Amino acid sequence: MTTGLTYPLAVDEETGNLKTVTEADWVKSRIDSLLDTLPLENPLRPSYGTESPLFTSQFDWTTYAFSIMQKLIKEIPEAKFSTSSQIADDGGAQIVIAYAYRGIPQEDFILNFLR
């Protein structure tokens, strides 16, 4: 059984220890952590995290979605990932991260980038 700390870190009120999660919840916590961390934000793992497209004037959303998928595959080899991107009529963008853990599809992560 795969077990790890929950993200964000929290204290278990019953035991006073850090909360842990198992199996699919562990994978979800790892995805949250990777998406919420910028490269160089973690000094012990400078390449961990995902770039922010916030200040980029010309951006290829398909390439960005693929780079997120590659990082997820590297960090969480226990799960299978796929990503897709769409540009809305108002200029906003959406990236959908679909994943399965132990062959069971999980709820997609949807990242919205509004203009």
Side-chain angles (χ1 to χ4, degrees):
M1 178 184 300
T2 308
T3 302
L5 296 174
T6 188
Y7 179 84
L9 288 175
V11 174
D12 186 331
E13 294 178 12
E14 291 179 21
T15 65
N17 296 324
L18 290 175
K19 264 187 193 177
T20 59
V21 288
T22 59
E23 300 294 331
D25 291 332
W26 172 79
V27 173
K28 183 180 183 309
S29 285
R30 299 272 316 269
I31 295 169
D32 278 333
S33 172
L34 184 76
L35 294 175
D36 286 350
T37 305
L38 294 171
L40 301 175
E41 193 172 354
N42 182 339
L44 299 176
R45 298 180 69 195
S47 64
Y48 182 81
T50 55
E51 298 288 338
S52 172
L54 183 60
F55 298 109
T56 304
S57 60
Q58 293 185 349
F59 200 74
D60 181 356
W61 289 99
T62 302
T63 302
Y64 182 60
F66 183 75
S67 73
I68 289 174
M69 184 178 72
Q70 291 300 104
K71 286 192 175 235
L72 289 167
I73 290 168
K74 179 182 174 191
E75 293 294 327
I76 314 166
E78 299 86 357
K80 302 291 183 210
F81 296 95
S82 67
T83 57
S84 62
S85 62
Q86 297 177 345
I87 304 295
D89 291 338
D90 66 359
Q94 182 180 73
I95 293 178
V96 176
I97 301 168
Y99 72 103
Y101 179 69
R102 296 190 189 255
I104 301 170
Q106 304 295 316
E107 185 177 343
D108 294 348
F109 276 78
I110 299 174
L111 308 175
N112 290 303
F113 300 90
L114 303 177
R115 194 158 187 207

